[in-house]
Amino acid sequence: SMAPRQENLAKNFQAFIDIFSKGSIDFRIGVTTTDIFKLPGQLRGTPRVLTPQTPSLASAFANNIKVGIAGSPYEAGLQSAQLVLDAYQRANADKQAAISNCKAACANGANNTQCQASCETAHPIEFLRPDAYLYLIFVSDEEDESSQDVRSFWRS
């Protein structure tokens, strides 16, 4: 039942991304499914993280969003999102520590601001950047069946 919705989202992505492009927003977009049983905690597609520099961005998104219709009928979008965010938080832990150590080393230098900016460039975080806002968009034709109440995800 999701095939037409995936197709519609893919077709209309250009209008959505035009708003970001006109505003010069430095975004990161990842796609996952509401299925927590097949490949939980993973972003889908190639490349997995889309940025303003992604070649043929609308086409890449259109390909990523077509995740198929063979997933579990048990749709747990909130839980699936939490699994992805937890996985990226663990993956980013070493980079976060390296950035913090680098910034601490910059504290005594004459070019403190420039030094700190170079720390983030030296240790880039692909997705779930600590200084970025996080927005989640769910596309589903079912109610969420995550294992916890929605308020518990809000606090996470």
Side-chain angles (χ1 to χ4, degrees):
S1 62
M2 283 301 295
R5 287 169 180 82
Q6 290 174 20
E7 190 64 40
N8 190 32
L9 183 59
K11 285 179 185 174
N12 291 295
F13 179 72
Q14 189 64 51
F16 175 79
I17 204 61
D18 281 347
I19 294 169
F20 286 85
S21 299
K22 289 176 185 170
S24 300
I25 297 172
D26 185 18
F27 62 86
R28 304 293 184 270
I29 296 176
V31 174
T32 190
T33 70
T34 58
D35 188 338
I36 58 171
F37 303 108
K38 282 185 173 178
L39 304 171
Q42 294 184 19
L43 294 179
R44 307 299 174 90
T46 303
R48 293 192 191 292
V49 177
L50 306 175
T51 71
Q53 292 77 36
T54 301
S56 305
L57 178 60
S59 177
F61 180 79
N63 290 333
N64 287 6
I65 199 69
K66 295 176 188 172
V67 296
I69 55 173
S72 171
Y74 179 82
E75 296 189 27
L78 291 168
Q79 194 170 349
S80 179
Q82 184 70 57
L83 290 169
V84 169
L85 296 176
D86 287 348
Y88 273 91
Q89 205 165 30
R90 285 188 304 275
N92 292 340
D94 290 341
K95 290 179 182 180
Q96 296 269 30
I99 290 170
S100 294
N101 292 338
C102 179
K103 286 182 176 183
C106 291
N108 299 328
N111 294 326
N112 186 16
T113 304
Q114 185 178 6
C115 180
Q116 288 195 5
S118 70
C119 292
E120 294 180 11
T121 302
H123 307 283
I125 294 178
E126 177 187 40
F127 187 70
L128 199 57
R129 297 169 295 157
D131 59 339
Y133 290 104
L134 175 67
Y135 295 94
L136 303 174
I137 299 171
F138 297 89
V139 178
S140 179
D141 60 353
E142 295 291 332
E143 292 293 320
D144 189 84
E145 296 182 48
S146 296
S147 62
Q148 300 172 18
D149 182 77
V150 69
R151 290 176 294 224
S152 66
F153 292 101
W154 173 258
R155 289 180 283 243
S156 296

